[in-house]
Amino acid sequence: MRYELFYWPSIQGRGEFVRLALEEAGAEYVDVARASGRGKGMPAMTQIMEQQKLQTRPFAPPFLRAGKLLIGQTANILHYLGPRLGLAPKSDAGQLWAHQLQLTVTDFVVEVHDTHHPIAGSLYYEDQKSEARRRSKHFVAERVPKYLDYFEGALQANSKGKGYMIGRSSTYVDLSMFQLVAGLRYAFPATMKRREPFVPGLVALHERVARRPNVAAYLASPRRIAFNQHGIFRHYPELDA
Amino acid sequence: MRYELFYWPSIQGRGEFVRLALEEAGAEYVDVARASGRGKGMPAMTQIMEQQKLQTRPFAPPFLRAGKLLIGQTANILHYLGPRLGLAPKSDAGQLWAHQLQLTVTDFVVEVHDTHHPIAGSLYYEDQKSEARRRSKHFVAERVPKYLDYFEGALQANSKGKGYMIGRSSTYVDLSMFQLVAGLRYAFPATMKRREPFVPGLVALHERVARRPNVAAYLASPRRIAFNQHGIFRHYPELDA
């Protein structure tokens, strides 16, 4: 199957969780908005989003075309792709648990985004800076520990596989943990320096994922967009108190 | 199957989307934190949330016990329950689409919550009132139309069934649309008065769901907790400009 991923071309954002899964699995895919030529580029993405009569029109990117299917919502895409890419547990119960963890990642990602946009996505950061500072104070003190400790706990509670989030082998949830640690290190380096000693399992998982051959090749390639000040994870030193 | 639902006992909140599905299907279930007796009430819920070694420990309520499974995340619970309660499409593609819509409901619900808590869940509304007012201004002007128009569009694009969100029969997504309209009417009556003429399909769907026998019986029963100022949907007139 040749997949088509539709996501903003200049940021990692939510699309990165899908890119990582496709890359780790060595899947054949086109990152449509970043490609050029007929039926590619941003117009191809916009055209889908504006088709009012489309039966499964997505609310926002990322979305994935897989044959006749058009699938929206990051966690939903991973739930679909996971078993097909060999990146999900085999049992239904295992897939539900993987999805539950990924939906908790989704919740966390909203909160990360809202540290710099607590008032409105339609305003610039500069127009909501004082609110961002106030929200981030609570985020780094309360929410980062709560989420990271929860994920560390899930990792430690996995009795079957040392060092994997679920079962005895790598899943898309491990890739998402890698991305969370990487993103938080970029956006909140001071906070992470304080918190990492409390989540040694996640830190080790991040390193192991980064060294997996396909992931390492991807990270070294131009396909991996660098973190920047337009994505979900942004580094504003004033928010990382 | 006798289901056990775990959710905060005094609010509709996120748990309400699950309660509506269980009620519409006439499923046998216990709303554990609201029940009394051995193994019930709030202590039963807290005890699960604090079990660090539990294999699929949820991050937050609601969660559902179904036999040996313990399932967290509202949309994940509905994704599991849907086919079992006869409230989801039969095809895999249909179930993916239902889940995609429900995940968009999840996104919207976060934004509804953050209108009154834009800074931190750990602070009182009164301590973030000016930020709440600013966020709500954008919410009612930009986000409510965007989400409602999207859901109305999905309803209209459903070529198979007049008046259902998906296919030819009722699904949990129809119940969720009912709950969104009901909640928004409670929290943002002035805004809804302006917006409802633009989404006649959703308004009609809300009425039809409310009249379904099992839903009507539920809404008239003490099992339906009234909207109040502790849930997700709260009515602060100053936020409904």
Side-chain angles (χ1 to χ4, degrees), chain A residues 74-128:
Chain A
T74 310
N76 199 31
I77 297 170
L78 291 171
H79 186 53
Y80 169 83
L81 282 178
R84 287 159 180 85
L85 300 182
L87 288 173
K90 290 217 172 12
S91 71
D92 287 348
Q95 287 177 27
L96 271 172
W97 171 230
H99 191 46
Q100 178 176 330
L101 283 170
Q102 190 64 41
L103 288 171
T104 307
V105 170
T106 301
D107 289 345
F108 192 22
V109 164
V110 173
E111 297 193 30
V112 170
H113 172 270
D114 284 7
T115 58
H116 48 79
H117 279 77
I119 300 300
S122 59
L123 294 176
Y124 289 112
Y125 167 63
E126 285 68 25
D127 297 325
Q128 49 195 312

Side-chain angles (χ1 to χ4, degrees), chain B residues 57-71:
Chain B
R57 191 168 72 95
F59 183 74
F63 47 93
L64 183 85
R65 186 138 53 192
K68 287 185 181 170
L69 293 174
L70 185 70
I71 308 167

Side-chain angles (χ1 to χ4, degrees), chain A residues 3 17-27 64 66 71 73-91 94-96 98-99 102 166 169-176, chain B residues 96:
Chain A
Y3 298 104
F17 296 96
V18 183
R19 290 188 184 118
L20 280 166
L22 292 165
E23 291 281 347
E24 163 64 10
L64 183 84
I71 307 166
Q73 288 283 355
T74 310
N76 199 31
I77 297 170
L78 291 171
H79 186 53
Y80 169 83
L81 282 178
R84 287 159 180 85
L85 300 182
L87 288 173
K90 290 217 172 12
S91 71
Q95 287 177 27
L96 271 172
H99 191 46
Q102 190 64 41
I166 305 167
S169 59
S170 197
T171 65
Y172 65 77
V173 181
D174 294 316
L175 304 175
S176 295
Chain B
L96 271 172

Side-chain angles (χ1 to χ4, degrees), chain B residues 127-145:
Chain B
D127 296 325
Q128 47 196 314
K129 216 167 156 175
S130 66
E131 294 93 341
R133 205 181 284 229
R134 199 171 171 217
R135 178 155 182 152
S136 297
K137 205 179 132 191
H138 288 276
F139 175 79
V140 301
E142 298 158 16
R143 305 305 284 173
V144 171

